[in-house]
Amino acid sequence: MMTIKIEIIKDKNLPKEYMNIMNKWRKKDMGPKEVKNFKRDYWPGAKFFFVKDNGEIVAFGGLRNVTINYLGKKYQIFGICNICSIKKRKGYGKILVQSMIKYLKKKGKTGLGFCGNKVSKFYRKSGLKIKKSFSPRFALKNPKTGEIKLDSDICYGVYYEGKDKLIRKVLLTKSTGYYYLPDVKEPHF
């Protein structure tokens, strides 16, 4: 019998054991460059979601604070990131995403992430909306140098629309939203 539990942990309270599990699976799924020093690389105010089955972590993901400057107005949203299902095809990833949506809904916040075509259907089935070729609508902009970097991959946007209606506004125009995250060297949250 499955006993599913969702655990939400703030960045500063993330146990070392959880960091090690996340790094192990990030490395396996995305390669050695994805290993993080969570105390240095991870994000003030981030919330990490863990799906546990009988006490064992089976999926994890994060929501990190991102400020989007769009048409001269700043929007405080959550970047959807680090989605990983350790045990595939068991429904754990869907449970994870749905708990993140529930959190976003409760907070009234927009959540935005990016993915490839292959996994976009999973996010749609899990309850997020998707938009093809959405990554060029958001660019990394260094506030000190003014340097702008666009994502070299044209990715789908996966999102939950919050009270600010940012995504709807972006879809109605052709303008670009800008963000800056000191730990991000290439575009993506």
Side-chain angles (χ1 to χ4, degrees):
M1 185 172 150
M2 292 191 327
T3 306
I4 303 293
K5 180 182 174 194
I6 308 299
E7 191 173 358
I8 303 171
I9 302 175
K10 288 185 175 185
D11 59 335
K12 293 177 182 153
N13 300 329
L14 197 59
K16 187 160 182 58
E17 172 191 353
Y18 285 37
M19 294 178 207
N20 292 339
I21 290 168
M22 291 172 71
N23 271 330
K24 174 184 173 183
W25 289 97
R26 286 174 57 82
K27 183 177 180 180
K28 184 175 181 176
D29 281 358
M30 299 176 267
K33 289 184 179 179
E34 294 302 319
V35 172
K36 298 282 187 185
N37 175 333
F38 287 86
K39 296 296 183 197
R40 185 191 70 225
D41 296 335
Y42 270 70
W43 327 301
K47 309 286 184 289
F48 292 94
F49 291 69
F50 296 90
V51 177
K52 291 182 167 183
D53 187 356
N54 293 319
E56 178 185 359
I57 295 172
V58 292
F60 61 84
L63 293 175
R64 70 177 298 179
N65 295 320
V66 178
T67 301
I68 303 288
N69 189 331
Y70 187 69
L71 296 175
K73 185 175 178 187
K74 291 185 179 182
Y75 295 85
Q76 301 298 321
I77 71 164
F78 281 114
I80 300 169
C81 53
N82 292 318
I83 303 297
C84 180
S85 185
I86 294 169
K87 294 192 176 184
K88 312 278 190 217
R89 306 209 186 287
K90 304 275 187 203
Y92 297 126
K94 185 174 185 177
I95 292 167
L96 171 69
V97 171
Q98 288 175 342
S99 57
M100 294 171 91
I101 292 169
K102 184 178 175 182
Y103 182 87
L104 291 165
K105 185 181 277 188
K106 181 180 172 184
K107 298 292 184 184
K109 291 288 201 173
T110 293
L112 173 64
F114 301 98
C115 70
N117 179 41
K118 190 175 177 181
V119 294
S120 66
K121 293 174 186 85
F122 157 76
Y123 287 110
R124 180 182 290 155
K125 287 179 184 177
S126 298
L128 292 171
K129 294 187 178 180
I130 65 170
K131 179 66 179 161
K132 188 176 181 178
S133 304
F134 207 47
S135 58
R137 301 301 305 279
F138 297 91
L140 186 63
K141 184 175 183 179
N142 187 317
K144 292 178 183 171
T145 65
E147 177 187 16
I148 295 173
K149 288 185 179 181
L150 288 168
D151 198 336
S152 57
D153 295 326
I154 305 298
C155 299
Y156 281 74
V158 295
Y159 63 92
Y160 171 81
E161 182 84 80
K163 291 179 182 177
D164 61 16
K165 303 292 184 203
L166 172 64
I167 304 300
R168 186 173 145 258
K169 293 170 187 173
V170 170
L171 291 172
L172 290 172
T173 69
K174 295 189 185 288
S175 298
T176 302
Y178 298 99
Y179 63 94
Y180 179 70
L181 302 167
D183 61 296
V184 174
K185 305 301 179 224
E186 296 298 325
H188 259 38
F189 306 138

